[in-house]
Amino acid sequence: MIRAILWKEWHEHRSRFAGYWLTLNVPILILSLVIAFSKGARAPLADLSNTTIWKYLPGSLLGESFLLATVLTAAAAYLAAATFNREIEDRSLFFLFEQPVPRKQYVAVKFLNGALHVVLATCFALLLAPATVYAMMLLSGKVTIAGSGAAFAAVVAASGRATIWCSLTALMVFTASALVSALMPRFWLAATVSLVLLTLFGLFSGD
């Protein structure tokens, strides 16, 4: 039964899940393209070497962490609203409750499936950012694995620690938005309330 619920979730919301993964990785993808095709964007990296790598590599982690903990949490809120509220709005959820599927089990599997995507996508984005930047540094020919491997390992270790905070933040936003979506009868209303709560969360967490 759990497998059937997971298949249903993937079949109905795979485009939303894929969009969420893509959204979290858009910043580093855009940055990579800009650096690759713009000489002006590469100008600040003129002194790049094995000894100066510490000036640039940690910035990719800090930038991605900041985006994931602030702006991109809106993507987690939208994902929850889009996956939960749609079934309530088109009343397909009530049809599912008439099937031989325990309500609590269905809601739990649905939530855990979405939460797993949120956590995994966040972890992947945090690890992809420094890895992509490091790969571009190696391709430039100014940095070698032997001379910068220790710096990259240290940044990856820091990425692992950053994933805990960013994943928890995204998970809290996803949970709150899922709860709001379950209580609100319309998608636009649930999205609006979720956005307001997200804004308040950002303001108070900033203090």
Side-chain angles (χ1 to χ4, degrees), residues 76-181:
Y78 171 79
L79 180 65
T83 54
F84 276 83
N85 191 267
R86 292 298 186 185
E87 292 183 349
I88 299 176
E89 190 168 340
D90 62 17
R91 304 189 68 82
S92 62
L93 180 64
F94 301 102
F95 171 77
L96 290 171
F97 283 163
E98 295 177 358
Q99 308 305 311
V101 180
R103 296 188 180 187
K104 292 183 179 179
Q105 184 184 58
Y106 175 76
V107 174
V109 172
K110 182 179 183 68
F111 172 79
L112 290 176
N113 178 62
L116 183 62
H117 275 280
V118 168
V119 171
L120 290 180
T122 300
C123 294
F124 179 82
L126 274 173
L127 294 175
L128 178 66
T132 301
V133 172
Y134 184 61
M136 295 184 67
M137 291 179 175
L138 293 176
L139 292 174
S140 71
K142 299 179 179 181
V143 174
T144 63
I145 296 178
S148 61
F152 177 65
V155 172
V156 170
S159 298
R161 294 189 293 270
T163 57
I164 298 176
W165 164 247
C166 291
S167 296
L168 287 176
T169 301
L171 191 57
M172 286 189 296
V173 171
F174 178 83
T175 303
S177 183
L179 180 60
V180 170
S181 300

Side-chain angles (χ1 to χ4, degrees), residues 16-36:
R16 296 184 179 94
F17 291 137
Y20 179 75
W21 281 74
L22 181 62
T23 299
L24 265 58
N25 293 285
V26 160
I28 192 61
L29 295 176
I30 293 177
L31 177 63
S32 300
L33 291 175
V34 170
I35 293 177

